Amino acid sequence: MTTASGAVTHPINSLGFAKPPSETRVVVAMSGGVDSSVVAAQLAEEGYDVVGVTLQLYDHGAALSKKGACCAGRDIHDARRVAEEMGFPHYVLDYENVFKDAVIDEFADSYLAGATPVPCIRCNERVKFKDLLETAKDLDADCMATGHYIQRKMGENGAELHSAADGNRDQSYFLFSTTEQQLDYLRFPLGHLKSKDETRALASKYGLAVADKPDSQDICFVPNGNYASVIEKLRPGAAEPGDIVDTEGTVLGQHNGVLHYTVGQRRGLGIGGLADPLYVVKLDVEQKQVIVGPKEMLATRKIPVREINWLGDEPLSSREEWHVLVRVRSTRPPREAIIRPISDTEAEVELIVAEEGVSAGQACVFYDDNSTRIFGGGWIWRGY
């Protein structure tokens, strides 16, 4: 294709660049799972200059025997094998210290403060989409691609974040803190697929050994979802016993450490024999108290949110109210809400219908009520 002046131009390739794939370098963040492996294989087959990078995030001596989590020693082996099969370079970067400082320590501290943290979001925000993205730029890559199920679409004002086509796989809750600058550089080639079956079919098409590999289930450094055992290792002495009390302060029983409980929990309280079931409604770390109450006390309508990453076309504070949908837990569907900005990074969110179990440390993610677009989100800092 030539312009009026005779200059040769190229059609836009699948990653959005006006040059041949062979001249487009893309760093693929490879966890060793089927999703990122398919992304790398597909881009390599399309002729892109692919560089695979895997992050070593924690002690792999302990992780080698652990199943069901990402980034373990086996996963590094699997990522390297895909790179060898598809013929592109692959690097493993030691990010253990960065990961501990940026993710694990905060996880332990916030959990001990009675919050319910989501370390996967902090990992994307502070490690994968920060340091790894800078590494991709150092490698002179045009962009970085991941296997996340989310869509990047071009709008009138630039790149926009949109929910994945497959609602069951959508990872928007975990990616709300992706900034506009990061979004310019990132690509999500799987976001348009209708199901995980399509991803596995592509893995089989490319002959990848990971085609039938199970999905990771746990937080990568929390074996079998046992938060308490990890916290006790990180913060010895944190599991101090105390009282289980009702909202009037009446002692109903004892517990063996606040860290063993979460807001909304009903089972395992050891205070049976009561007329009505009781739920954990608050954790008081300073008093070493687990406070319980009836289920209706879990219902919340007004949620303070801070550290907001706003992805709208106009500044957050340009309006007194934004009518949107919000998701307050990764497992909940979006609900109608009103955002009332306090500043460009802080707001009060009012739910039209009260939600149960809103917890400090969780994210509150904002969705357009008329499209698949994501307007960012923030952190819930007090759920009661």
Side-chain angles (χ1 to χ4, degrees), residues 224-275:
N224 305 315
N226 189 347
Y227 288 26
S229 65
V230 173
I231 302 296
E232 288 181 84
K233 283 183 181 178
L234 293 169
R235 302 289 186 270
E240 296 182 14
D243 294 329
I244 299 176
V245 301
D246 64 18
T247 54
E248 302 296 321
T250 304
V251 177
L252 302 177
Q254 275 68 48
H255 64 77
N256 59 351
V258 169
L259 65 89
H260 295 287
Y261 299 83
T262 58
V263 172
Q265 179 177 336
R266 176 188 171 189
R267 298 183 184 279
L269 299 179
I271 51 173
L274 300 172

Side-chain angles (χ1 to χ4, degrees), residues 105-142:
D105 283 343
E106 183 189 70
F107 168 83
D109 292 339
S110 61
Y111 203 90
L112 286 175
T116 309
V118 192
C120 299
I121 299 175
R122 288 301 196 194
C123 183
N124 289 329
E125 174 187 321
R126 297 176 174 176
V127 182
K128 293 177 182 175
F129 290 176
K130 182 174 177 283
D131 292 350
L132 178 54
L133 192 143
E134 289 304 317
T135 297
K137 291 181 177 178
D138 290 343
L139 291 169
D140 293 324
D142 294 283

